[in-house]
Amino acid sequence: MSTDLRSNFLRTQIQSDLDSGTVTNVVTRFPPEPNGFLHIGHAKSITVNFGLAEQFGGVCNLRFDDTNPEKESQIFIDAIRQDVQWLGYQWHGDVRYASSYFQQFYDWAHHLIEEGLAYVCDLSADQARETRGSLTAPGTNSPFRDRSIEENRTLFTAMRDGEFEDGSRVLRAKIDMASPNINMRDPILYRIRALPHHQTGDDWPIYPTYDFAHGQEDAIEGVSHSICTLEFEDHRPLYDWFIEHLPVPSKPRQFEFARLNLNYTVTSKRKLKGLVDDGSVAGWDDPRMPTIAGLRRRGYPAAAIRHFCEEVGTSRSDGVVDVAMLESAVRNELNQKAPRAMAVIDPLKVVIDNFEGSETLELANHPSEASMGTRSVNFSKEIWIEREDFREEANKKFKRLVLGKRVRLRGAYVIEAERCEKDDAGEVIAVHACLVPQQLGEDPDDGVKPKGVIHWVATDTAVVAEIREYDRLFADADPAKADDFASVLNPNSLVVKQAYAEASLVAADNESSFQFERLGYFVADRVDHTSEHLVFNKIIGLRDSWGSHG
RNA sequence: UGGGGCGUCGCCAAGCGGCAAGGCAGCGGGUUUUGAUCCCGCCAUUCGGAGGUUCGAAUCCUCCCGCCCCAGCCA
């Protein structure tokens, strides 16, 4: 993780806290709710929290904020743990759960009751909303606001003992129904929900709200900097209120940053779930999904995602990052790390008339990284080339194979096209060419260099591979704005093709990525690829300053 | 019309009173057995606007404009 660290307000804040002695040990946490898969926005939060801890010699916890069992499940917990580790981070100690602090929260709720700072309210959800006031009008006090401490104690205990129906009562903090900050208008601390919890089973019929739990979770874990996104800014006064009025073991502080938005991408758990549920994609890990699992299956390297997050920076201003920036980070990583190989997706046969038999060539796996070694590639009389790399005639800008002209076969020989065969429809079905007098690896003996280089695969040893060409899921830059996804989905986000690949690729491990020369980066599918049935996902194309067609 | 935030190049983003970093995108050019990579160059006399303070302001003050968030017993 060697990207240069640029200045941002969080790093400045922590440095100053350390300098002033306000904080001696930096502790952060990544606190997902296990109700869905993590996406690129969470990756940002993960790199921010783990990155800050790493930079300042602190630690970062992974804590499941599981205060609402309704939509949570163990499935998501397992997936999230895996995603965080895949991204390259290891949390400090054991995984934490807000639910493991439920007894403490309950005791603290009683503490507030004893202090006269919390009360049981019998208002229905509708009534509570009506008395909360509006953005411009103050709320009115609940008729239950002045219950005695004893009555509150009895009632809250009864809530905990499961004596009331779901939703019939709540515990609220007694703060200020006229506060201009709606979060301070006697916020709800506990609600009754007779639901089994994935961690605590049937232990609790009541569950604490986010507001009553989060800051205390931080305090219990000694979190020094509780970092969240901007929409929680209005909750900070409440966060601080609990820390101030409860006998918590430490005093964490909350800081907010702008969440990551990407164009052509949707980053909302609800919307992503919608895509999965309506079958627009094959699942949470569909290679077109901006989930960590999807990006992984697509072949985006973890390091690229980390670098991207660093390059994007962390600030407090809302913005939309161009997805091209992510793609650039992916190309940058893959260019350095992916071994090269050759495959032909839209094949056209070339017969080299003056060459007999076959020959084994040793090709470099990387053009500038010799340590990546070489591989054996078979060359033979008949080869496949890309159909678009041949033209009967073309202008000088076309640097590929043209009748009567030369082209270099990558890593092999220079050939010259002599004639082509066509079918009844006039379609070219084969090109006849000849090897120009030359030494392998040298320019032709007559000194006439070819203008271009094309990739190829020997027909006799080529292996068939399924190619899944992925493109962005949405055709609209701001898909979240659309009324229905169907209208903005890119109809060509997945095109399945078949390719002839060089034989060395049968040895490709799942999740190993390659640059298929001149085509782009591809990864052996994590799930479906086997040595008997090769499946490569297109990760991203090469940058192309010429256009895919002339 | 209440409260909380944010406005620096097409997109991100440094900058915190001393005279506008960097990345992405784009545009030129060079190298090249990937039209890739790599390399070189160009790309904000200007920081939402208007006033003011100051020798000096993107940075301080005032007013104005624009955008985002908040009325779940979600997080």
Side-chain angles (χ1 to χ4, degrees), chain A residues 56-124:
Chain A
F56 293 100
V59 297
C60 181
N61 292 342
L62 170 61
R63 179 176 76 226
F64 287 100
D65 211 2
D66 55 350
T67 57
N68 180 5
E70 212 166 329
K71 294 176 197 142
E72 299 167 3
S73 86
Q74 187 64 41
I75 304 283
F76 298 127
I77 289 176
D78 296 338
I80 290 168
R81 294 175 56 126
Q82 195 173 103
D83 287 346
V84 171
Q85 290 183 313
W86 177 75
L87 270 177
Y89 297 101
Q90 185 56 55
W91 48 87
H92 180 243
D94 295 331
V95 168
R96 323 295 168 109
Y97 295 87
S99 55
S100 62
Y101 312 138
F102 279 174
Q103 182 61 43
Q104 177 64 268
F105 296 159
Y106 178 73
D107 293 342
W108 277 335
H110 270 292
H111 177 89
L112 290 180
I113 288 172
E114 298 305 320
E115 297 288 312
L117 295 173
Y119 63 96
V120 171
C121 180
D122 303 358
L123 254 28
S124 68

Side-chain angles (χ1 to χ4, degrees), chain A residues 139-156:
Chain A
T140 51
N141 286 171
S142 162
F144 305 100
R145 200 172 199 260
D146 296 315
R147 287 219 250 232
S148 69
I149 289 175
E150 187 176 354
E151 188 181 5
N152 283 134
R153 182 166 53 220
T154 303
L155 249 19
F156 185 53

Side-chain angles (χ1 to χ4, degrees), chain A residues 127-365:
Chain A
Q127 292 172 316
R129 182 175 355 97
E130 284 159 16
T131 53
R132 190 153 30 230
S134 72
L135 293 180
T136 51
T140 51
N141 286 171
S142 162
F144 305 100
R145 200 172 199 260
D146 296 315
R147 287 219 250 232
S148 69
I149 289 175
E150 187 176 354
E151 188 181 5
N152 283 134
R153 182 166 53 220
T154 303
L155 249 19
F156 185 53
T157 301
M159 277 171 65
R160 189 265 174 273
D161 291 340
E163 292 174 20
F164 304 125
E165 271 178 43
D166 277 19
S168 61
R169 285 181 167 79
V170 293
L171 181 71
R172 302 176 71 173
K174 191 185 293 187
I175 305 181
D176 178 11
M177 287 306 291
S179 172
N181 180 343
I182 294 177
N183 294 305
M184 300 300 271
R185 319 241 262 225
D186 290 8
I188 288 161
L189 276 40
Y190 269 94
R191 67 285 223 184
I192 303 173
R193 285 284 178 283
L195 282 176
H197 186 284
H198 49 97
Q199 300 303 309
T200 60
D202 296 318
D203 292 353
W204 298 87
I206 57 174
Y207 291 97
T209 55
Y210 165 85
D211 285 314
F212 188 62
H214 207 91
Q216 286 82 287
E217 294 162 18
D218 290 334
I220 289 169
E221 295 175 12
V223 168
S224 59
H225 301 264
S226 179
I227 298 162
C228 59
T229 41
L230 251 26
E231 67 269 27
F232 290 101
E233 190 155 19
D234 290 341
H235 293 248
R236 196 169 66 218
L238 183 53
Y239 181 106
D240 292 339
W241 190 90
F242 289 126
I243 295 302
E244 181 186 339
H245 293 281
L246 256 16
V248 291
S250 74
K251 304 232 179 283
R253 286 173 302 154
Q254 173 182 303
F255 299 91
E256 313 85 17
F257 69 97
R259 69 185 323 144
L260 171 68
N261 296 305
L262 273 182
N263 59 15
Y264 295 97
T265 309
V266 125
T267 43
S268 136
K269 273 189 204 169
R270 208 194 98 252
K271 291 185 166 132
L272 292 175
K273 184 175 188 305
L275 291 167
V276 172
D277 291 345
D278 72 15
S280 295
V281 296
W284 286 98
D285 71 340
D286 184 294
R288 292 164 293 185
M289 290 283 272
T291 49
I292 305 295
L295 296 172
R296 175 181 181 174
R297 192 162 173 194
R298 176 69 171 270
Y300 279 26
I305 295 172
R306 276 187 251 119
H307 293 151
F308 163 71
C309 290
E310 176 59 28
E311 281 159 13
V312 161
T314 306
S315 76
R316 289 174 59 85
S317 54
D318 290 305
V320 180
V321 175
D322 193 335
V323 70
M325 214 159 152
L326 208 210
E327 296 172 342
S328 169
V330 170
R331 286 197 186 94
N332 186 45
E333 181 69 21
L334 256 14
N335 175 52
Q336 298 174 54
K337 305 284 176 57
R340 314 287 117 132
M342 291 193 285
V344 173
I345 291 179
D346 184 17
L348 173 62
K349 182 180 290 184
V350 173
V351 181
I352 301 166
D353 292 317
N354 63 346
F355 181 84
E356 298 303 328
S358 70
E359 180 177 349
T360 298
L361 306 174
E362 278 300 306
L363 303 194
N365 287 327

